[in-house]
Amino acid sequence: MDISVDCVVFGFDDDELKVLLIEQKQPEGKSAIKPQKAVPGDLVRDDEGLDAAAERILNELTSLEGIYLKQFHAFGDPNRVTGLKDRDWLRSFRTHPERRVITVGYYSLVKMDDFNPQAASFAKKAQWIDVYKIPNLAFDHNEIVGEALKVLRHELMADHIGFELLPEKFTLSQLQKLYEIILDKKLDKRNFRKNILRTDTVTPLEEKQSGVLHKPAQLFSVKRPRKKD
Amino acid sequence: MDISVDCVVFGFDDDELKVLLIEQKQPEGKSAIKPQKAVPGDLVRDDEGLDAAAERILNELTSLEGIYLKQFHAFGDPNRVTGLKDRDWLRSFRTHPERRVITVGYYSLVKMDDFNPQAASFAKKAQWIDVYKIPNLAFDHNEIVGEALKVLRHELMADHIGFELLPEKFTLSQLQKLYEIILDKKLDKRNFRKNILRTDTVTPLEEKQSGVLHKPAQLFSVKRPRKKD
DNA sequence: AATAGTTAGTGTAGAATATACACTTAGTGT
DNA sequence: ACACTAAGTGTATATTCTACACTAACTATT
């Protein structure tokens, strides 16, 4: 058997929660077939830990580093891979295409800002897709994304990890919107603010929004552990 | 690579939280070496899902069926297995002893009543060991048990799954003791009872304790989904 | 028959937390 | 200056959490 790692990378963009999907390479000589989208993932190397593999693979495919990255579930159904396209693809790209693969799911949150679409090579391969509009994916990736989303919701409430999805500087309204979209429900503005400020994970900056056609909002950033001043 | 499943089976006995450990069979011709204890686990078969494997292995080693059994983490450190004894053991009992093995941890809760310890396969014997007095185990099983315990604590609070560890009929005091032991802290009696009764997962029986040298306690059982009466 | 010993069983007041709700403010564009 | 828009702010009420102490029911002993 082989082990792979699949990374469900969440990002947030104005008013959509997105997942990073790659477009699979076309198998040789089958160019007529529409390529499938998939979550970035690959086989774990023989001498590599799971967490390390996840980090490596995510890095290879997105050039991101040092990201909140968490194992959430192992998917081991022996019939995980049944699709014809999936089979074709494996035959073209894997040395042992018939081997059963068990995959370990990781999820991660990134600021879309940090994400570097510079590499045209990259932009060709990877794209952000609205979580609520995900097409059919390769293998069992729809299920994997679904599970990741459940975990994300849970962790969002428990650990307030949501800032990870926002740019360096953000307003509380943006943060609230993020929560509303992930949880798929409206939140009360005043209560939300109380809650967030109480957790003390966020610091107001000197700066304010500008160029908006309404009262400019206070900008915040994530509170980092104090360096000595 | 190979995949294995390890099952951390919790049971409860009066005032100790226990884990089911097996004693590994001795490798041939090394009878001087003290055998190691381990959590029941084995390789996943080639055509078998992870959950199915966990159930099968638990069943093979303990003759239990239909147990609350939940995947909690995959352990994939390439240096998971370093001990000399572990190596010896693998050489004796595995067809591919040098292969790297990634293991998926499951945990499960059983009523010790229902359990009839029957060592089989490569287990010399099976025994319940106090969670807080676990010796050095084979492989990375100490870590695995530790993680399982964390998850158990978490799920205990979230989902009130504690009854699984008690006999069919139990008193609220027994249940409270169970919580106290798992969480390793004292709880307030009245508040505890309020909480449990509020969750509505438990029904009082007609029956009371008897033969105790104090006021006999009401017996309860887990509330099962109503069958049609 | 009375007594001592033991755990079962119960309520409430105060603190903390969660919820619901509406108006004023500071900008931009016309 | 006026209209438009989202930012920002406080309070009263309901709910949940916490701390806390006495009486009840049974057994064993004398």
Side-chain angles (χ1 to χ4, degrees), chain A:
Chain A
M1 288 184 227
D2 281 332
I3 309 286
S4 68
V5 155
D6 285 307
C7 297
V8 182
V9 184
F10 293 105
F12 179 74
D13 169 30
D14 286 343
D15 48 2
E16 290 178 348
L17 178 65
K18 307 226 167 183
V19 200
L20 185 63
L21 297 178
I22 60 172
E23 196 127 302
Q24 290 184 315
K25 274 189 212 153
Q26 293 270 26
E28 296 282 327
K30 302 240 183 182
S31 48
I33 295 173
K34 204 173 140 205
Q36 296 191 95
K37 293 191 204 310
V39 146
D42 203 355
L43 296 180
V44 175
R45 288 181 185 160
D46 213 51
D47 58 344
E48 188 181 46
L50 294 173
D51 294 357
E55 213 173 308
R56 170 180 62 82
I57 289 163
L58 180 61
N59 178 268
E60 280 176 9
L61 293 160
T62 69
S63 67
L64 282 176
E65 284 179 9
I67 297 295
Y68 185 101
L69 190 57
K70 194 165 168 185
Q71 185 193 314
F72 68 91
H73 197 75
F75 298 84
D77 187 331
N79 307 313
R80 274 199 341 116
V81 175
T82 47
L84 280 177
K85 284 183 190 171
D86 295 330
R87 288 250 168 80
D88 279 353
W89 189 89
L90 290 170
R91 264 193 288 276
S92 308
F93 293 105
R94 291 272 167 90
T95 13
H96 302 283
E98 301 302 336
R99 272 199 199 153
R100 177 176 172 196
V101 178
I102 285 173
T103 201
V104 178
Y106 279 76
Y107 79 97
S108 115
L109 311 176
V110 305
K111 295 189 215 306
M112 287 182 72
D113 280 18
D114 295 355
F115 171 78
N116 201 349
Q118 73 182 5
S121 65
F122 181 87
K124 237 178 277 171
K125 286 185 269 178
Q127 49 191 150
W128 290 105
I129 304 286
D130 186 328
V131 161
Y132 299 110
K133 293 172 191 157
I134 294 178
N136 277 343
L137 303 179
F139 311 117
D140 56 350
H141 286 189
N142 287 289
E143 183 190 351
I144 292 177
V145 173
E147 287 299 311
L149 185 56
K150 275 190 210 163
V151 176
L152 171 63
R153 284 189 175 138
H154 196 260
E155 300 278 293
L156 179 66
M157 296 314 287
D159 305 342
H160 291 287
I161 53 181
F163 336 96
E164 301 292 337
L165 299 175
L166 293 173
E168 204 60 53
K169 300 167 184 181
F170 54 88
T171 70
L172 293 184
S173 296
Q174 281 176 281
L175 187 59
Q176 181 177 345
K177 203 164 179 185
L178 168 64
Y179 273 68
E180 290 180 342
I181 286 165
I182 293 179
L183 301 176
D184 204 19
K185 67 177 177 193
K186 277 225 132 320
L187 301 174
D188 178 84
K189 183 159 54 155
R190 283 179 281 197
N191 296 335
F192 178 78
R193 293 164 103 95
K194 262 182 281 178
N195 284 325
I196 292 297
L197 294 175
R198 185 153 40 80
T199 64
D200 197 46
T201 39
V202 109
T203 12
L205 303 172
E206 303 294 285
E207 213 170 331
K208 290 190 168 194
Q209 255 184 340
S210 68
V212 287
L213 57 161
H214 55 77
K215 176 174 178 179
Q218 178 66 246
L219 289 170
F220 288 79
S221 72
V222 181
K223 183 169 283 181
R224 298 271 164 231
R226 269 219 165 283
K227 319 149 197 173
K228 49 183 170 251
D229 38 318

